[in-house]
Amino acid sequence: MLGGCSVFSQSSLNQFLKPSDTLHKKRRTTVFASEVGVLGGTLIGLNQLWYKDYPKSHFHFINDNEEWLQMDKVGHMYSSYHLGRIGAEALAWSGASEKQQILYGATLGLGFLTVVEMFDGFSQEWGASSGDMLANFSGTALYVSQQLLWKEQRITPKFSFHRTHYASLRPKTLGDGLQEEILKDYNGQTYWLSFNINSFVKTKCIPNWLNVAIGYGGEGMLYGTNLEAIKNNYTQITSRQLYLSLDVNLTKIETKSPFFKTIFSVFNTIKIPAPTLQIVGFDGFKTHLVYF
């Protein structure tokens, strides 16, 4: 009996997750209502937890483009891309047209992060950043341009993280504990552009799910800039990191299960640990058997 219930439950879940072939108005309404509820609630919570205790000001811009070796800007691009991708895929699930997916789905990340940037702009503590806004637009443009050009995502931004000793030296800024460090410690973050080989080469010799990825990271950052570090009586030596690695495009793994397709789509935001070649400035190369 329990086995029968389990099969029925899994079948019902797969039926629910299966994208509609035609426009399903109730599903589309559910998508829009869910986005308004989740993102609206997130903005309200962000305002209460992050901005509430800081004085307001007139709307203003700041120039933070030299900070953190631009790791924060790459993070904005990554976030905008994947929020837009989720928005577009949610509308595809409802059977909405490709035009609606692009207009109302793919722009989700850009819209949400623009509101966050406005919060920054009205806060005396921070300020809106033209660099952030450009990065947000770049993430949305990366998704939309691929859909218009290829009708598929051949190049996917991805993320990986490893813990560093820098966070323990300045935990309030770089994070106290793993969860905070993943978000705040730029020294341990790596952002990737993962290219699906067969989408470009079209060969039977290479599995459809195999990707090659180019990564970017930074190291040596306790403060946003070297000048800020000096003002705090600290001398930091920062360096940019470039990587070349293999990766897996989980969405290219063949399955008929809508459940597994959804799971693969969610986790396709993360770079799979793999052998990696690191470019070390003018000193040559460094190899990693497995790099996170």
Side-chain angles (χ1 to χ4, degrees):
M1 187 66 178
L2 289 176
C5 289
S6 177
V7 172
F8 177 78
S9 177
Q10 185 174 357
S11 176
S12 299
L13 180 60
N14 279 325
Q15 188 63 35
F16 173 76
L17 293 174
K18 183 180 179 180
S20 178
D21 295 329
T22 57
L23 178 61
H24 193 298
K25 292 185 178 180
K26 287 186 177 180
R27 282 191 175 189
R28 187 178 63 180
T29 301
T30 299
V31 169
F32 287 143
S34 298
E35 289 175 352
V36 170
V38 172
L39 298 183
T42 300
L43 290 172
I44 292 173
L46 186 63
N47 183 60
Q48 292 296 312
L49 295 174
W50 192 267
Y51 298 98
K52 180 182 177 181
D53 296 329
Y54 294 96
K56 304 294 183 183
S57 71
H58 64 280
F59 187 82
H60 64 287
F61 281 89
I62 60 170
N63 185 354
D64 63 349
N65 295 330
E66 299 300 319
E67 295 184 1
W68 304 111
L69 297 179
Q70 295 78 49
M71 287 294 293
D72 57 325
K73 303 296 179 279
V74 184
H76 274 263
M77 184 274 291
Y78 169 88
S79 299
S80 180
Y81 173 93
H82 282 293
L83 282 173
R85 178 184 63 82
I86 291 170
E89 290 181 357
L91 280 175
W93 169 76
S94 75
S97 67
E98 185 175 1
K99 181 178 180 181
Q100 288 181 328
Q101 293 174 36
I102 291 176
L103 285 177
Y104 306 118
T107 56
L108 179 67
L110 179 61
F112 175 76
L113 292 172
T114 297
V115 175
V116 174
E117 208 62 42
M118 292 179 65
F119 282 179
D120 282 346
F122 284 109
S123 173
Q124 186 174 311
E125 185 74 10
W126 295 281
S129 166
S130 58
D132 287 353
M133 296 178 70
L134 179 60
N136 297 338
F137 178 81
S138 298
T140 299
L142 178 61
Y143 181 88
V144 171
S145 61
Q146 292 188 80
Q147 286 300 118
L148 294 176
L149 184 61
W150 298 316
K151 307 297 183 183
E152 65 175 349
Q153 296 298 299
R154 299 183 178 185
I155 306 169
T156 307
K158 294 196 175 186
F159 174 83
S160 66
F161 178 81
H162 60 273
R163 302 189 78 174
T164 74
H165 70 279
Y166 295 101
S168 63
L169 300 177
R170 202 174 177 219
K172 288 186 177 180
T173 298
L174 301 181
D176 185 6
L178 179 60
Q179 291 183 336
E180 288 189 4
E181 291 170 30
I182 290 174
L183 296 174
K184 295 182 177 182
D185 185 6
Y186 294 117
N187 300 281
Q189 297 176 358
T190 306
Y191 288 97
W192 306 81
L193 284 179
S194 187
F195 297 77
N196 184 247
I197 300 174
N198 269 352
S199 292
F200 292 98
V201 179
K202 305 293 184 184
T203 174
K204 295 181 180 180
C205 301
I206 299 174
N208 285 334
W209 46 260
L210 186 62
N211 279 22
V212 61
I214 299 172
Y216 173 71
E219 192 175 45
M221 299 172 286
L222 274 187
Y223 294 87
T225 63
N226 293 340
L227 181 60
E228 183 185 0
I230 292 173
K231 290 180 179 179
N232 286 275
N233 300 314
Y234 181 82
T235 301
Q236 65 181 24
I237 301 176
T238 60
S239 61
R240 301 177 190 274
Q241 315 289 333
L242 293 177
Y243 303 93
L244 181 65
S245 182
L246 296 176
D247 188 32
V248 174
N249 186 334
L250 296 176
T251 65
K252 292 290 185 178
I253 297 176
E254 293 186 10
T255 176
K256 294 182 179 179
S257 169
F259 172 75
F260 283 112
K261 286 182 179 180
T262 301
I263 294 297
F264 290 158
S265 177
V266 170
F267 284 97
N268 206 46
T269 58
I270 301 172
K271 165 71 169 62
I272 301 297
T276 299
L277 184 67
Q278 177 182 346
I279 301 174
V280 188
F282 296 103
D283 298 328
F285 302 95
K286 180 179 179 181
T287 58
H288 302 268
L289 182 60
V290 178
Y291 181 82
F292 290 87

